[in-house]
């Protein structure tokens, strides 16, 4: 089976001053019109849709989204959960744009988030959390390693059970 791998994590803009300190890659800089997470990653659901359309137009192959999500600092509240409405909003907006891309002809055959539980980031950090389940540990203390459902857990469970009809 032939497969192609492509990545989309955020959109950027091209700037005419490649020496600018905000430049990510020479000439590339975060879009100043977009909201960013606390690590400076642009939040751009429309960019996600554009990337899906461009990848599909280029390769004419079904797409399986294997990573989509937002990393944020989180701690349990007094009810032993995390009220992560920002994650729900982020995922809802990206799924809505993916559905639009599908209506526009993109063959998306699957969708996964970054992880169902909080996992170590690519830098080995636990402070950047991605999942629907809070893992009770931090950078240096394993604590008790218990798992706690975040608000987004039930939301995403409903998204799955309705096959994306209820976002």
């Amino acid at each position: 089976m032939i497969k192609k791998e492509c990545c989309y994590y955020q959109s950027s803009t091209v700037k005419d001053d490649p020496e600018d300190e905000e430049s990510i890659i020479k000439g590339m800089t975060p879009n100043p019109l977009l909201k960013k997470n606390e690590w400076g990653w642009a939040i751009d659901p429309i960019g996600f849709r554009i990337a899906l359309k461009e990848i599909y137009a280029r390769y004419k192959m079904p797409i399986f989204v294997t990573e989509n999500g937002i990393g944020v600092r989180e701690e349990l509240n007094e009810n032993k959960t995390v009220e992560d409405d920002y994650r729900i909003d982020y995922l809802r907006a990206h799924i809505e744009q993916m559905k639009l891309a599908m209506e526009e002809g993109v063959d998306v055959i699957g969708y996964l988030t970054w992880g169902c539980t909080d996992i170590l980031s690519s830098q080995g950090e636990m402070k950047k959390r991605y999942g629907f389940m809070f893992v009770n540990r931090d950078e240096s203390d394993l604590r008790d390693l218990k798992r706690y459902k975040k608000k987004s857990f039930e939301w995403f469970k409903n998204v799955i059970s309705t096959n994306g009809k209820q976002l």
Side-chain angles (χ1 to χ4, degrees), residues 112-140:
L112 298 172
T113 63
W114 264 343
C116 59
T117 62
D118 289 338
I119 55 175
L120 293 173
S121 74
S122 59
Q123 303 299 314
E125 300 170 320
M126 198 64 197
K127 63 186 172 189
K128 193 184 295 184
R129 296 181 178 267
Y130 301 96
F132 306 114
M133 299 285 292
F134 182 90
V135 178
N136 193 27
R137 68 160 291 184
D138 67 19
E139 298 295 304
S140 58

mmCIF file of all heavy atoms in Angstrom, residues 112-140:
data_model
loop_
_atom_site.group_PDB
_atom_site.id
_atom_site.type_symbol
_atom_site.label_atom_id
_atom_site.label_comp_id
_atom_site.label_asym_id
_atom_site.label_seq_id
_atom_site.Cartn_x
_atom_site.Cartn_y
_atom_site.Cartn_z
ATOM 1 N N LEU A 112 -8.005 11.220 14.624
ATOM 2 C CA LEU A 112 -7.538 10.967 15.988
ATOM 3 C C LEU A 112 -7.018 12.267 16.591
ATOM 4 O O LEU A 112 -6.485 13.125 15.878
ATOM 5 C CB LEU A 112 -6.396 9.944 15.999
ATOM 6 C CG LEU A 112 -6.712 8.550 15.483
ATOM 7 C CD1 LEU A 112 -5.438 7.725 15.389
ATOM 8 C CD2 LEU A 112 -7.732 7.862 16.374
ATOM 9 N N THR A 113 -7.139 12.391 17.890
ATOM 10 C CA THR A 113 -6.545 13.526 18.584
ATOM 11 C C THR A 113 -5.122 13.133 18.984
ATOM 12 O O THR A 113 -4.684 12.017 18.744
ATOM 13 C CB THR A 113 -7.373 13.901 19.831
ATOM 14 O OG1 THR A 113 -7.358 12.804 20.740
ATOM 15 C CG2 THR A 113 -8.795 14.254 19.452
ATOM 16 N N TRP A 114 -4.417 14.061 19.632
ATOM 17 C CA TRP A 114 -3.033 13.804 20.025
ATOM 18 C C TRP A 114 -2.920 12.668 21.026
ATOM 19 O O TRP A 114 -1.911 12.023 21.110
ATOM 20 C CB TRP A 114 -2.402 15.055 20.600
ATOM 21 C CG TRP A 114 -1.621 15.820 19.585
ATOM 22 C CD1 TRP A 114 -1.186 15.348 18.381
ATOM 23 C CD2 TRP A 114 -1.186 17.150 19.667
ATOM 24 N NE1 TRP A 114 -0.505 16.319 17.714
ATOM 25 C CE2 TRP A 114 -0.498 17.454 18.484
ATOM 26 C CE3 TRP A 114 -1.317 18.138 20.633
ATOM 27 C CZ2 TRP A 114 0.077 18.689 18.242
ATOM 28 C CZ3 TRP A 114 -0.754 19.372 20.373
ATOM 29 C CH2 TRP A 114 -0.061 19.644 19.203
ATOM 30 N N GLY A 115 -3.909 12.438 21.797
ATOM 31 C CA GLY A 115 -3.864 11.351 22.764
ATOM 32 C C GLY A 115 -5.059 11.428 23.681
ATOM 33 O O GLY A 115 -5.577 12.504 23.940
ATOM 34 N N CYS A 116 -5.498 10.276 24.139
ATOM 35 C CA CYS A 116 -6.650 10.295 25.048
ATOM 36 C C CYS A 116 -6.219 10.619 26.472
ATOM 37 O O CYS A 116 -6.998 11.142 27.256
ATOM 38 C CB CYS A 116 -7.410 8.973 24.978
ATOM 39 S SG CYS A 116 -6.419 7.544 25.400
ATOM 40 N N THR A 117 -4.974 10.328 26.818
ATOM 41 C CA THR A 117 -4.469 10.681 28.145
ATOM 42 C C THR A 117 -3.340 11.691 27.987
ATOM 43 O O THR A 117 -2.722 11.788 26.929
ATOM 44 C CB THR A 117 -3.914 9.452 28.906
ATOM 45 O OG1 THR A 117 -2.817 8.913 28.171
ATOM 46 C CG2 THR A 117 -4.972 8.405 29.120
ATOM 47 N N ASP A 118 -3.071 12.422 29.044
ATOM 48 C CA ASP A 118 -1.924 13.318 29.030
ATOM 49 C C ASP A 118 -0.668 12.480 28.849
ATOM 50 O O ASP A 118 -0.484 11.460 29.526
ATOM 51 C CB ASP A 118 -1.845 14.113 30.328
ATOM 52 C CG ASP A 118 -2.941 15.157 30.427
ATOM 53 O OD1 ASP A 118 -3.476 15.561 29.372
ATOM 54 O OD2 ASP A 118 -3.255 15.563 31.559
ATOM 55 N N ILE A 119 0.163 12.896 27.918
ATOM 56 C CA ILE A 119 1.377 12.157 27.584
ATOM 57 C C ILE A 119 2.561 13.113 27.620
ATOM 58 O O ILE A 119 2.399 14.331 27.598
ATOM 59 C CB ILE A 119 1.267 11.522 26.184
ATOM 60 C CG1 ILE A 119 0.942 12.590 25.132
ATOM 61 C CG2 ILE A 119 0.238 10.413 26.162
ATOM 62 C CD1 ILE A 119 0.936 12.106 23.692
ATOM 63 N N LEU A 120 3.746 12.566 27.657
ATOM 64 C CA LEU A 120 4.930 13.405 27.586
ATOM 65 C C LEU A 120 4.977 14.074 26.223
ATOM 66 O O LEU A 120 4.690 13.448 25.199
ATOM 67 C CB LEU A 120 6.193 12.561 27.788
ATOM 68 C CG LEU A 120 6.373 11.965 29.183
ATOM 69 C CD1 LEU A 120 7.550 11.017 29.192
ATOM 70 C CD2 LEU A 120 6.544 13.043 30.230
ATOM 71 N N SER A 121 5.329 15.334 26.204
ATOM 72 C CA SER A 121 5.453 16.039 24.930
ATOM 73 C C SER A 121 6.730 15.590 24.232
ATOM 74 O O SER A 121 7.547 14.861 24.800
ATOM 75 C CB SER A 121 5.478 17.551 25.160
ATOM 76 O OG SER A 121 6.729 17.933 25.699
ATOM 77 N N SER A 122 6.918 16.069 23.031
ATOM 78 C CA SER A 122 8.118 15.695 22.270
ATOM 79 C C SER A 122 9.395 16.153 22.972
ATOM 80 O O SER A 122 10.463 15.624 22.715
ATOM 81 C CB SER A 122 8.048 16.272 20.861
ATOM 82 O OG SER A 122 7.932 17.678 20.928
ATOM 83 N N GLN A 123 9.289 17.105 23.860
ATOM 84 C CA GLN A 123 10.444 17.571 24.629
ATOM 85 C C GLN A 123 10.548 16.850 25.974
ATOM 86 O O GLN A 123 11.348 17.228 26.813
ATOM 87 C CB GLN A 123 10.335 19.081 24.868
ATOM 88 C CG GLN A 123 10.215 19.902 23.600
ATOM 89 C CD GLN A 123 11.413 19.740 22.696
ATOM 90 O OE1 GLN A 123 12.550 19.799 23.146
ATOM 91 N NE2 GLN A 123 11.166 19.504 21.427
ATOM 92 N N GLY A 124 9.726 15.820 26.190
ATOM 93 C CA GLY A 124 9.740 15.082 27.449
ATOM 94 C C GLY A 124 9.085 15.831 28.589
ATOM 95 O O GLY A 124 9.310 15.535 29.755
ATOM 96 N N GLU A 125 8.240 16.809 28.267
ATOM 97 C CA GLU A 125 7.587 17.626 29.287
ATOM 98 C C GLU A 125 6.217 17.066 29.630
ATOM 99 O O GLU A 125 5.495 16.592 28.770
ATOM 100 C CB GLU A 125 7.388 19.052 28.770
ATOM 101 C CG GLU A 125 8.653 19.764 28.408
ATOM 102 C CD GLU A 125 8.371 21.070 27.688
ATOM 103 O OE1 GLU A 125 7.450 21.124 26.853
ATOM 104 O OE2 GLU A 125 9.099 22.035 27.964
ATOM 105 N N MET A 126 5.862 17.167 30.887
ATOM 106 C CA MET A 126 4.522 16.801 31.315
ATOM 107 C C MET A 126 3.670 18.053 31.526
ATOM 108 O O MET A 126 2.465 17.961 31.648
ATOM 109 C CB MET A 126 4.595 15.988 32.612
ATOM 110 C CG MET A 126 3.369 15.212 32.933
ATOM 111 S SD MET A 126 3.061 13.944 31.700
ATOM 112 C CE MET A 126 1.368 13.569 32.045
ATOM 113 N N LYS A 127 4.305 19.225 31.525
ATOM 114 C CA LYS A 127 3.538 20.456 31.765
ATOM 115 C C LYS A 127 2.618 20.790 30.600
ATOM 116 O O LYS A 127 1.643 21.488 30.767
ATOM 117 C CB LYS A 127 4.468 21.624 32.079
ATOM 118 C CG LYS A 127 5.409 22.001 30.974
ATOM 119 C CD LYS A 127 6.373 23.075 31.437
ATOM 120 C CE LYS A 127 7.440 23.315 30.387
ATOM 121 N NZ LYS A 127 8.480 24.179 30.867
ATOM 122 N N LYS A 128 2.922 20.309 29.407
ATOM 123 C CA LYS A 128 2.072 20.533 28.237
ATOM 124 C C LYS A 128 1.141 19.326 28.129
ATOM 125 O O LYS A 128 1.566 18.230 27.818
ATOM 126 C CB LYS A 128 2.925 20.664 26.979
ATOM 127 C CG LYS A 128 2.168 21.188 25.792
ATOM 128 C CD LYS A 128 3.008 21.220 24.532
ATOM 129 C CE LYS A 128 4.165 22.169 24.595
ATOM 130 N NZ LYS A 128 4.902 22.259 23.324
ATOM 131 N N ARG A 129 -0.158 19.549 28.396
ATOM 132 C CA ARG A 129 -1.118 18.443 28.449
ATOM 133 C C ARG A 129 -2.036 18.462 27.241
ATOM 134 O O ARG A 129 -2.471 19.518 26.807
ATOM 135 C CB ARG A 129 -1.907 18.518 29.749
ATOM 136 C CG ARG A 129 -0.975 18.328 30.954
ATOM 137 C CD ARG A 129 -1.719 18.374 32.251
ATOM 138 N NE ARG A 129 -0.821 18.138 33.349
ATOM 139 C CZ ARG A 129 -0.579 16.954 33.899
ATOM 140 N NH1 ARG A 129 -1.198 15.883 33.455
ATOM 141 N NH2 ARG A 129 0.255 16.837 34.911
ATOM 142 N N TYR A 130 -2.320 17.257 26.733
ATOM 143 C CA TYR A 130 -3.068 17.118 25.486
ATOM 144 C C TYR A 130 -4.370 16.335 25.613
ATOM 145 O O TYR A 130 -5.241 16.450 24.774
ATOM 146 C CB TYR A 130 -2.218 16.368 24.449
ATOM 147 C CG TYR A 130 -0.917 17.021 24.121
ATOM 148 C CD1 TYR A 130 0.264 16.637 24.739
ATOM 149 C CD2 TYR A 130 -0.864 18.027 23.171
ATOM 150 C CE1 TYR A 130 1.464 17.239 24.416
ATOM 151 C CE2 TYR A 130 0.337 18.630 22.843
ATOM 152 C CZ TYR A 130 1.495 18.220 23.469
ATOM 153 O OH TYR A 130 2.677 18.814 23.147
ATOM 154 N N GLY A 131 -4.501 15.480 26.586
ATOM 155 C CA GLY A 131 -5.540 14.464 26.582
ATOM 156 C C GLY A 131 -6.863 14.829 27.215
ATOM 157 O O GLY A 131 -7.069 15.915 27.742
ATOM 158 N N PHE A 132 -7.764 13.845 27.161
ATOM 159 C CA PHE A 132 -9.089 13.923 27.783
ATOM 160 C C PHE A 132 -9.040 13.382 29.210
ATOM 161 O O PHE A 132 -9.995 13.506 29.960
ATOM 162 C CB PHE A 132 -10.117 13.103 26.998
ATOM 163 C CG PHE A 132 -10.183 13.455 25.541
ATOM 164 C CD1 PHE A 132 -9.804 12.554 24.573
ATOM 165 C CD2 PHE A 132 -10.640 14.703 25.138
ATOM 166 C CE1 PHE A 132 -9.866 12.877 23.229
ATOM 167 C CE2 PHE A 132 -10.697 15.041 23.799
ATOM 168 C CZ PHE A 132 -10.309 14.131 22.845
ATOM 169 N N MET A 133 -7.927 12.734 29.538
ATOM 170 C CA MET A 133 -7.717 12.168 30.862
ATOM 171 C C MET A 133 -6.483 12.831 31.480
ATOM 172 O O MET A 133 -5.411 12.828 30.876
ATOM 173 C CB MET A 133 -7.464 10.662 30.781
ATOM 174 C CG MET A 133 -8.601 9.857 30.190
ATOM 175 S SD MET A 133 -9.980 9.656 31.311
ATOM 176 C CE MET A 133 -9.269 8.624 32.552
ATOM 177 N N PHE A 134 -6.652 13.394 32.658
ATOM 178 C CA PHE A 134 -5.547 14.012 33.382
ATOM 179 C C PHE A 134 -4.740 12.915 34.069
ATOM 180 O O PHE A 134 -5.296 12.078 34.778
ATOM 181 C CB PHE A 134 -6.094 14.987 34.427
ATOM 182 C CG PHE A 134 -5.039 15.715 35.198
ATOM 183 C CD1 PHE A 134 -4.561 16.924 34.738
ATOM 184 C CD2 PHE A 134 -4.530 15.191 36.376
ATOM 185 C CE1 PHE A 134 -3.592 17.616 35.446
ATOM 186 C CE2 PHE A 134 -3.560 15.863 37.093
ATOM 187 C CZ PHE A 134 -3.089 17.079 36.627
ATOM 188 N N VAL A 135 -3.441 12.888 33.842
ATOM 189 C CA VAL A 135 -2.554 11.948 34.531
ATOM 190 C C VAL A 135 -1.906 12.713 35.673
ATOM 191 O O VAL A 135 -1.231 13.720 35.450
ATOM 192 C CB VAL A 135 -1.487 11.374 33.579
ATOM 193 C CG1 VAL A 135 -0.550 10.439 34.343
ATOM 194 C CG2 VAL A 135 -2.140 10.642 32.417
ATOM 195 N N ASN A 136 -2.122 12.239 36.890
ATOM 196 C CA ASN A 136 -1.659 12.951 38.076
ATOM 197 C C ASN A 136 -0.162 12.743 38.301
ATOM 198 O O ASN A 136 0.264 11.870 39.045
ATOM 199 C CB ASN A 136 -2.450 12.512 39.303
ATOM 200 C CG ASN A 136 -2.214 13.441 40.475
ATOM 201 O OD1 ASN A 136 -1.899 14.612 40.293
ATOM 202 N ND2 ASN A 136 -2.371 12.924 41.678
ATOM 203 N N ARG A 137 0.602 13.563 37.612
ATOM 204 C CA ARG A 137 2.051 13.638 37.783
ATOM 205 C C ARG A 137 2.499 14.973 37.240
ATOM 206 O O ARG A 137 1.743 15.678 36.590
ATOM 207 C CB ARG A 137 2.770 12.483 37.088
ATOM 208 C CG ARG A 137 2.685 12.539 35.564
ATOM 209 C CD ARG A 137 3.737 11.720 34.872
ATOM 210 N NE ARG A 137 5.048 12.331 35.069
ATOM 211 C CZ ARG A 137 6.161 11.873 34.519
ATOM 212 N NH1 ARG A 137 6.130 10.814 33.755
ATOM 213 N NH2 ARG A 137 7.308 12.464 34.732
ATOM 214 N N ASP A 138 3.735 15.330 37.505
ATOM 215 C CA ASP A 138 4.279 16.546 36.900
ATOM 216 C C ASP A 138 5.673 16.262 36.364
ATOM 217 O O ASP A 138 6.050 15.106 36.192
ATOM 218 C CB ASP A 138 4.228 17.742 37.864
ATOM 219 C CG ASP A 138 5.143 17.595 39.066
ATOM 220 O OD1 ASP A 138 6.083 16.771 39.030
ATOM 221 O OD2 ASP A 138 4.942 18.329 40.042
ATOM 222 N N GLU A 139 6.433 17.309 36.127
ATOM 223 C CA GLU A 139 7.752 17.152 35.507
ATOM 224 C C GLU A 139 8.671 16.211 36.294
ATOM 225 O O GLU A 139 9.364 15.401 35.708
ATOM 226 C CB GLU A 139 8.453 18.514 35.391
ATOM 227 C CG GLU A 139 7.748 19.516 34.520
ATOM 228 C CD GLU A 139 7.694 19.095 33.073
ATOM 229 O OE1 GLU A 139 8.742 18.834 32.472
ATOM 230 O OE2 GLU A 139 6.587 19.025 32.533
ATOM 231 N N SER A 140 8.670 16.351 37.601
ATOM 232 C CA SER A 140 9.639 15.594 38.401
ATOM 233 C C SER A 140 9.003 14.678 39.437
ATOM 234 O O SER A 140 9.693 13.857 40.017
ATOM 235 C CB SER A 140 10.592 16.564 39.097
ATOM 236 O OG SER A 140 9.858 17.457 39.902
#
